Structures are given as C-alpha cells and as structure tokens.
Amino acid sequence: MKSRRLVYEGKAKVLYEGPEPGTLIQYFKDDTTAFDAKKKAVLEGKGVLNNRISEFLMTQLGQIGVPNHFMRRLNMREQLIREVEIIPLEVVVRNVAAGSLSKRLGLEEGTALPRSIIEYFLKDDKLSDPMVSEEHILAFGWASAQELDEIIQLSVRINDFLSGLFLGVGIKLIDFKVEFGRLYEADMVRVILADEISPDSMRLWDLKTNEKLDKDRFRRDLGGVTEAYTEVAKRLGILQEGQDNTGRKGPVLVK
Ligand code: TMP
Ligand code: ASP
C-alpha cells in the first residue's frame, strides 16, 4: 500500500493527507473510549458503521443547506473530507436531560427540557474538556462573535433536522455533540460542520422502549454496542438484512 502522511490521530479516528490540497482522508477506527480514555475497547465493525452513519447524516444535512466537510466515501472505513481548521469546542445540543447535565443539575435522565439547550466544552484532553461559556469563548478568542452566531444557528438547524429524521425511524434524539471548522476558500473563511455524527457522539433512545442505541451502552457496560449501532444503521436504511460486511454474521452495508 502507498504510504500516506498521517496528519492527526485521535481516539476513534485518524486523519491522513488527502489526494488534493485542502482534502483529508478520515479513517474510522474500531477503538472506543470513554471517561477521558480511562475506559477502552476495540469493538469490531464499529468504525465501518460510524463511517456509513456519519456519511448518511452529513449528506442529508448538506441537502438542507448545512455546509459540512464530507465529500465522498472512499471505502468501508474511510471518507474524503475537506480540510478545515477545527474550532476547539465541543458543541452539545440537548433535548432531554441525560449524562453530564443530569449529574450537574440533579435532573432525572429522560426529563424533557423546557427548550433545547446548547452547551460548550473546550476541546482539551489534558483538562478533560471543561464546560465553558460564551464569555470564555469570546474572551479567549476560541471563536469570534460572528462565528459563534453561525455555530448556534447551524446547531439549531442540525438539531431540528436530526430530531425529525430520527423520529421518523422510531428514535428519540436525546442529545448530540458536534464540532465545527473554518474553511478557507480564496480570501473567504466560513464555518462548516466537521468531525463526525454517529452513535459515538449522540444519545439515541428507542421511541417506544427507551432502549439506548448509542455509546452509553459502552460507557455503562450494557453490552450489545455494535448491535445497537447496526440497528440505527438499519433504521436509517443504510443496512440491508442478511449479508455480512464487517467480517461478522449479520446485516450488510448497502453499496
Ligand atoms: P455528556 O452528557 O456526557 O456531556 O454528553 C453530551 C453528548 O455529547 C452525548 O450525546 C455524548 C456526546 N459526547 C461526545 O461526543 N464526546 C465526549 O467526549 C462526551 C463527553 C460526550
Ligand atoms: N471522548 C470521550 C473519551 O474517551 C468519551 C465519551 O464520549 O464519553 O474520553
């Protein structure tokens, strides 16, 4: 295989230099971590599923005018993306109390929130991604006021669209995390959606049973993690029953 320049290695993904300037190859690993990588596992086939789920959601979002980094899928684990300068924030949108919000405010998980809430966390593993406010973001210059405006508008649109899309397949979108980047084009800079959107970065509950179909199955030792991701892919129409694609028995990815 031709050797490629590694640009960045994260916990669940690797970025390689792309075929043209301004492009990167995003590789989805099976590695799964939680709690600042204190908990680790390799879940066979997870990367394949996240590559496809993220492709599907980014493509759909692109079609409603949410600009994002996805260009095209290259193979089972890789996609071609636009190179951006990542804004160092994890933007979390919440519809229902869960996870760190439930803990912080003593809200029972599953409590509907009075309105959707946006939170920001600084991307800094050494500090365990602390929560930050708009004041911090502007004062420390992690994003400009105009960029933050765009981030909020895009996040609200992403939430509205994904909530409806998942509702249509019997899934409640409890919360999700997104990241944005600056795309430099000629002498213009704009903010676009980057990173991934997958069950690693969302909380998805079955509408009828409240069964968790996301990474909380790993965080909380519930088992059946890739099976849950497979179920999400199937409901989204990405997977076909009966064939094998991740090397294991089970459903196959539609070509
Ligand atoms: P939280 O309730 O733990 O703050 O998580 C909120 C959402 O963000 C949830 O959908 C999971 C996602 N998330 C990530 O994608 N990466 C992370 O490192 C963390 C902590 C959460
Ligand atoms: N990204 C986090 C970590 O490994 C995991 C999580 O999503 O909870 O540290």
Side-chain angles (χ1 to χ4, degrees), residues 29-33 40-46 77 218 226:
K29 300 195 268 192
D30 286 341
D31 299 20
T32 312
T33 67
K40 286 187 208 176
V42 177
L43 301 173
E44 193 189 335
K46 186 205 70 154
R77 289 185 182 273
F218 171 70
T226 47

Side-chain angles (χ1 to χ4, degrees), residues 11 33-39 90 125 129 200 215 219:
K11 290 182 287 235
T33 67
F35 315 119
D36 285 330
K38 285 189 207 69
K39 178 170 179 165
E90 302 205 337
D125 281 344
D129 299 344
D200 270 9
K215 193 171 157 185
R219 295 189 190 97

Side-chain angles (χ1 to χ4, degrees), residues 3-110:
S3 72
R4 293 185 301 198
R5 193 171 72 85
L6 183 122
V7 174
Y8 176 82
E9 175 148 14
K11 290 182 287 235
K13 298 188 294 293
V14 187
L15 297 177
Y16 297 99
E17 196 169 57
E20 291 121 39
T23 65
L24 294 174
I25 293 166
Q26 180 163 255
Y27 176 98
F28 288 78
K29 300 195 268 192
D30 286 341
D31 299 20
T32 312
T33 67
F35 315 119
D36 285 330
K38 285 189 207 69
K39 178 170 179 165
K40 286 187 208 176
V42 177
L43 301 173
E44 193 189 335
K46 186 205 70 154
V48 175
L49 290 159
N50 281 356
N51 185 25
R52 286 300 295 260
I53 294 170
S54 198
E55 169 194 6
F56 178 81
L57 297 176
M58 291 281 184
T59 303
Q60 297 276 311
L61 284 164
Q63 283 169 5
I64 62 145
V66 172
N68 66 73
H69 73 168
F70 180 81
M71 296 172 75
R72 65 188 160 86
R73 175 161 45 94
L74 298 172
N75 55 51
M76 299 250 286
R77 289 185 182 273
E78 293 179 329
Q79 48 183 244
L80 188 67
I81 59 169
R82 269 177 240 284
E83 183 171 25
V84 295
E85 179 183 278
I86 288 287
I87 293 170
L89 297 172
E90 302 205 337
V91 179
V92 170
V93 184
R94 302 181 185 272
N95 300 306
V96 175
S100 70
L101 178 71
S102 284
K103 221 175 186 176
R104 202 184 317 128
L105 301 184
L107 294 169
E108 193 184 339
E109 285 212 317

Side-chain angles (χ1 to χ4, degrees), residues 195-208:
D195 191 51
E196 74 180 293
I197 306 185
S198 75
D200 270 9
S201 57
M202 295 184 278
R203 284 197 176 91
L204 302 169
W205 294 6
D206 180 82
L207 197 57
K208 289 204 193 103

